[in-house]
Amino acid sequence: MGGSSPCASCKLLRRRCAKDCIFAPYFPSDDPHKFAIVHKVFGASNVSKMLQELPVQQRADAVNSLVFEANARVRDPVYGCVGAISYLQNQVSQLQMQLAVAQTEILCIQMQQESALQQADKSFLLPTNHSLDSSISQYLNFTSSINVIQDPAPLKRESLWT
């Protein structure tokens, strides 16, 4: 920086911040914790070398990745980011299983409702056994009453053949 206030890295390392300080654009003085954690995990010299090897356009992303990894290493010194990723993958897997169970239950409920609706439609369209029996007996009574009606002038057999 060279100006009024040194960057977080120069402040932590207690050195003068030059105009061309590689840390200044990525570790501002108002966020000293960001550099402190990266320095603790990776070391200032290693971070400086990594940033110098990268094109300027990629340095901000690299710093964000280093900060993330450093925070993960502080929380979980053995696995770091891999531990967090593994935990999240397990959680996604469990949630997918829960989703599959819920979808199966929804499908079963829908099938039960469709079955109940189909049975209700059939019972509405087809008479029940009791009403079917009464309908048949009414029909039989109607046809037998038609057979009972007789012609007032019965035909004589002799008149037809003679």
Side-chain angles (χ1 to χ4, degrees), residues 108-121:
C108 287
I109 290 169
Q110 287 174 342
M111 290 174 61
Q112 288 173 352
Q113 288 176 345
E114 286 178 14
S115 176
L117 285 175
Q118 287 174 352
Q119 287 178 354
D121 288 346

Side-chain angles (χ1 to χ4, degrees), residues 1 5-14 17 21 23-24 26-36:
M1 287 219 131
S5 116
C7 68
S9 65
C10 292
K11 196 181 254 187
L12 183 76
L13 298 173
R14 295 185 180 154
C17 192
C21 177
F23 297 119
Y26 314 108
F27 299 103
S29 61
D30 61 347
D31 193 6
H33 180 71
K34 186 175 175 180
F35 180 75

Side-chain angles (χ1 to χ4, degrees), residues 21-160:
C21 177
I22 195 157
F23 297 119
Y26 314 108
F27 299 103
S29 61
D30 61 347
D31 193 6
H33 180 71
K34 186 175 175 180
F35 180 75
I37 198 160
V38 170
H39 172 60
K40 180 180 180 182
V41 173
F42 298 106
S45 178
N46 290 331
V47 174
S48 174
K49 288 175 190 173
M50 283 188 255
L51 291 178
Q52 286 174 350
E53 290 178 7
L54 290 173
V56 176
Q57 311 87 300
Q58 295 177 353
R59 290 180 183 175
D61 290 334
V63 167
N64 289 335
S65 295
L66 290 170
V67 171
F68 184 81
E69 176 66 28
N71 282 317
R73 284 281 170 197
V74 168
R75 275 185 264 122
D76 186 355
V78 175
Y79 295 109
C81 285
V82 174
I85 291 169
S86 177
Y87 171 79
L88 292 173
Q89 285 177 335
N90 286 336
Q91 196 172 15
V92 166
S93 181
Q94 289 174 354
L95 291 171
Q96 286 174 334
M97 287 176 30
Q98 289 177 2
L99 178 62
V101 168
Q103 288 173 332
T104 303
E105 289 175 358
I106 289 170
L107 186 61
C108 287
I109 290 169
Q110 287 174 342
M111 290 174 61
Q112 288 173 352
Q113 288 176 345
E114 286 178 14
S115 176
L117 285 175
Q118 287 174 352
Q119 287 178 354
D121 288 346
K122 286 180 183 177
S123 67
F124 179 73
L125 295 175
L126 294 175
T128 60
N129 287 345
H130 176 66
S131 60
L132 181 62
D133 291 343
S134 65
S135 297
I136 291 172
S137 64
Q138 285 176 355
Y139 175 76
L140 291 176
N141 287 339
F142 177 73
T143 56
S144 65
S145 63
I146 291 175
N147 291 339
V148 171
I149 299 174
Q150 293 180 353
D151 189 13
L155 295 175
K156 293 183 181 177
R157 190 181 282 193
E158 297 98 25
S159 63
L160 289 174

